[in-house]
Amino acid sequence: MTNNKYGLASLRKQFGTDEKCLEFIFKTLHTMECTCGGTFKRKEGRRQWQCSKCRYQLAPTAGTIFHKSDTPLSLWFHAIMVFSNAKSGVSAKQMQRELEVTYKTAWRMLTLIRKALKQGDDTLHGDVEMDVGYFGGKRSAGRDNKDLSRVMKDKSVVIAAKERGGQIRAAVVADASAKTHGDFLGQNVSTKGTRLMTDATRVLNNVALGYDRYMVDHHMGEYVRGDIHVNSIETFWAHVKRSMRGTHKVVSKKYLQSYLDGFVFHANNQHTDRGRFEALLGTILHASA
Ligand SMILES: [Zn+2]
């Protein structure tokens, strides 16, 4: 029976030493055979492998987020496990406590892990929900919403799309204009074989012309009509907002996209703890630092 959990016990067993982590990185990124026909062998006491024939040397951590780090690989893998299991996000403070490292080290590790999480670039199709959300900003709109425009200016605009039964994409964008929506759609959603589900916002009227579009009118109190709704995105917004408040308190505009990438990764990898950890490790190893 395979254990689908993946906690500290599993981690210690699989990646308890730097040696085991290094072997794994080599096997994930390289083969034992050199192009010259020779075989790579580990260089004693070094983070390097060498070809038996042409003497070519390989450093398996080269190009990965681990390469220029003094932090032991086993600690890095520990951080990746913590990140993988934290569906509501993890703060640098929590990571610092968990790994017993300095705040600076914890912050740097988290930043590099998130940076490796690029969202996919193939287009979504089928039943695709799309919606816009507003994040951050602390000021209130005041009486009669007279400061509303100033408050909205403080906020970050995020557009998200979700293919039902498939992936989520979420991007911090410059504004909520028609052009911006059109650009997002063009990059992320295929016009072919797509039923695009949106709110009745007029901003989409021209830019979504190429799509088979279905609307629910939130302003008229209509949220679901048959299978037409944007509930999956609403669920995503709610989860991200709740998690941000609970874990990160304040997120500056500068880092919002990388935090979103983390939430999108979790939303797109809802399999077992073990499966998600493996997916995260693979993603990080294949991303170039
Ligand atoms: Zn060789």
Side-chain angles (χ1 to χ4, degrees), residues 33-40 50-57:
E33 296 88 44
C34 180
T35 45
C36 79
T39 307
F40 280 109
Q50 189 173 45
C51 173
S52 57
K53 222 165 123 189
C54 73
R55 320 303 292 170
Y56 180 74
Q57 292 189 7

Side-chain angles (χ1 to χ4, degrees), residues 131-164:
D131 196 22
V132 62
Y134 299 87
F135 288 79
K138 279 165 288 177
R139 282 186 288 191
S140 103
R143 283 181 75 165
D144 305 324
N145 279 345
K146 69 179 168 55
D147 296 328
L148 188 63
S149 66
R150 208 150 41 97
V151 170
M152 292 310 280
K153 229 162 130 185
D154 278 353
K155 290 190 180 292
S156 303
V157 186
V158 179
I159 302 180
K162 170 160 172 61
E163 178 180 314
R164 286 192 194 150

Side-chain angles (χ1 to χ4, degrees), residues 18 20 32 68 97 109 116 140 158 172 198 217 241 252:
D18 277 27
K20 284 180 175 175
M32 297 308 283
K68 283 176 184 151
R97 201 176 299 130
M109 290 170 99
S140 103
V158 179
V172 179
T198 69
D217 197 339
K241 284 183 179 171
S252 69

